[in-house]
């Protein structure tokens, strides 16, 4: 039952926002009593903490799997972006913003975990790209991986990028292209252009 509550809560938080969903909403949606929820989670903060952790682990496992497929590094980044967008429901309810505002401690620890996972993933991606001759040899890998992480998290700031002007899927595509155009070689640019063209068809 705990797993079912976690799955449903995570789904509702992503679709409606961490602040918006109450324990009553969750109980009604699942057709169970609030008492049942409280027997597994002492309060809403505990539930938010576990559901963000649950989501984080699912996404990390999915990213690890994509990286294990040994695709070319440019394709790999597009696959990861697609996978993350599906899992985050295109971030319709700006969950990151609500998490940051109403649960800052949970947000802080989540961001630190996110940074570790992304840093390893992006560093590996850059090294592979350099080895394959599709990213420039003279890149400062540490700088590029950190600036990439900063950008990915900053584009989710709705005060900077209001959703009505910058739909999340488009924003992620634009950011990924911006990142890649700065680091590819002419060989990499051909791969990038063919992926972008096939995505537009």
């Amino acid at each position: 039952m705990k797993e079912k509550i976690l799955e449903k809560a995570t789904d509702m938080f992503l679709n409606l926002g961490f602040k918006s969903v109450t324990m009553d909403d969750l109980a009604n949606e699942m057709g169970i009593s609030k008492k049942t929820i409280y027997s597994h989670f002492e309060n809403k903060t505990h539930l938010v903490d576990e559901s963000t952790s649950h989501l984080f682990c699912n996404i990390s496992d999915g990213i690890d799997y994509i990286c294990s497929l040994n695709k070319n590094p440019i394709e790999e980044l597009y696959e990861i972006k697609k996978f993350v967008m599906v899992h985050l429901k295109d971030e319709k309810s700006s969950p990151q913003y609500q998490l940051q505002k109403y649960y800052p401690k949970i947000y802080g620890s989540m961001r630190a975990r996110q940074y570790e996972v992304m840093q390893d993933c992006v560093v590996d991606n850059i090294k592979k790209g350099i080895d394959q001759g599709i990213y420039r040899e003279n890149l400062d890998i540490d700088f590029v991986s950190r600036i990439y992480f900063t950008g990915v998290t900053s584009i989710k700031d709705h005060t900077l990028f209001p959703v009505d002007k910058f739909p999340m899927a488009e924003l992620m595509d634009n950011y990924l292209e911006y990142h890649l155009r700065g680091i590819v070689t002419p060989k990499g640019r051909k791969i990038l252009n063919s992926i972008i063209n096939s995505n537009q068809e």
Side-chain angles (χ1 to χ4, degrees), residues 163-174:
V163 184
D164 54 337
K165 279 180 77 176
F166 300 96
M168 187 47 79
E170 217 173 280
L171 200 52
M172 288 294 281
D173 274 339
N174 289 343

Side-chain angles (χ1 to χ4, degrees), residues 73-86:
I74 297 175
E75 210 180 326
E76 181 179 273
L77 286 182
Y78 273 95
E79 284 297 317
I80 289 172
K81 182 214 62 146
K82 211 175 350 177
F83 171 79
V84 170
M85 290 301 285
V86 167

Side-chain angles (χ1 to χ4, degrees), residues 129-191:
I130 291 171
D131 288 345
Q132 292 177 25
I134 58 177
Y135 295 163
R136 290 186 287 113
E137 270 181 20
N138 62 344
L139 294 174
D140 180 334
I141 296 174
D142 197 33
F143 169 77
V144 173
S145 64
R146 284 165 192 260
I147 208 85
Y148 181 72
F149 176 78
T150 309
V152 162
T153 45
S154 295
I155 61 172
K156 292 173 184 174
D157 179 342
H158 294 310
T159 52
L160 277 175
F161 296 99
V163 184
D164 54 337
K165 279 180 77 176
F166 300 96
M168 187 47 79
E170 217 173 280
L171 200 52
M172 288 294 281
D173 274 339
N174 289 343
Y175 180 66
L176 193 49
E177 183 180 346
Y178 173 80
H179 163 71
L180 286 165
R181 290 216 181 274
I183 64 173
V184 291
T185 58
K187 180 183 170 185
R189 196 176 307 120
K190 283 181 183 162
I191 297 169

